[in-house]
Amino acid sequence: GTIYLFLSWDVGMDNPRISFADCDGNGVPDSDDLAAGALDLDGNGVLDTCQLLSADTATVSASTGGSQTFSLHAGSAHAGEAYFLAGSLSGSTPGFLFGGVTVPLNLDSYTLTTVISPNQPPLANSFGILDAAGQATASFTLGLGHASLVGLNLQHAFVTLDPISYGPSNVSNAIPLTIVL
């Protein structure tokens, strides 16, 4: 014979909580911040202000000039460490290895220029020491009348250096910049 058991279960919840990501702690879900126009220049769905590297714009005009200001947020654990901001004209993937970590920049002539000549135009404050909060600012500035650069896509990222080994202690995300008319 066959035995059939019919059991009835009632499933319930007491005090369910639904939480949303709020990486900047402003009380607004990140998805709402993004929908309201908060910056996500690298398009990864994370507010730029919640990443190691953020910027104030995604474009700079070749005809009127302008700048992109970077905010470096390495955190207080990296306070007083040296940082190095570099760039690439050939993208961020796959990047290159430096001291066992992948820096999200592809090596090219611009990368070499930004590494060999830090704190030189078009980058300002690209090499320095992080403050007590592990933060710094840097910028990319383009002067007037560079129409030949329209459509150029750049990426920038930074590395912090361990004060003892001079090896990388932290590496940021890459932030894009497009030169527009």
Side-chain angles (χ1 to χ4, degrees), residues 41 56-62 65-68 140 176-181:
L41 300 180
D56 63 345
T57 185
T59 61
V60 170
S61 171
S67 65
Q68 180 182 49
F140 172 94
L177 175 66
T178 302
I179 309 298
V180 297
L181 188 59

Side-chain angles (χ1 to χ4, degrees), residues 158-172:
F158 77 89
V159 173
T160 58
L161 303 173
D162 181 271
I164 296 171
S165 70
Y166 298 109
S169 61
N170 206 356
V171 63
S172 78

Side-chain angles (χ1 to χ4, degrees), residues 8-35:
S8 176
W9 296 84
D10 288 329
V11 177
M13 268 190 273
D14 290 332
N15 302 319
R17 293 180 191 188
I18 298 173
S19 62
F20 298 94
D22 182 21
C23 70
D24 60 355
N26 68 351
V28 177
D30 293 344
S31 57
D32 290 352
D33 283 335
L34 290 169

Side-chain angles (χ1 to χ4, degrees), residues 80-177:
E81 290 185 359
Y83 68 87
F84 206 101
L85 180 86
S88 176
L89 292 170
S90 55
S92 61
T93 304
F96 69 91
L97 283 176
F98 171 60
V101 299
T102 300
V103 178
L105 299 171
N106 294 335
L107 288 173
D108 56 30
S109 60
Y110 180 59
T111 310
L112 297 176
T113 299
T114 61
V115 169
I116 293 169
S117 302
N119 300 330
Q120 298 297 313
L123 292 178
N125 204 31
S126 61
F127 178 72
I129 303 295
L130 297 171
D131 68 14
Q135 298 180 358
T137 59
S139 63
F140 172 94
T141 302
L142 186 65
L144 302 170
H146 292 282
S148 64
L149 301 179
V150 171
L152 195 63
N153 294 304
L154 300 95
Q155 298 280 333
H156 293 93
F158 77 89
V159 173
T160 58
L161 303 173
D162 181 271
I164 296 171
S165 70
Y166 298 109
S169 61
N170 206 356
V171 63
S172 78
N173 53 297
I175 287 290
L177 175 66

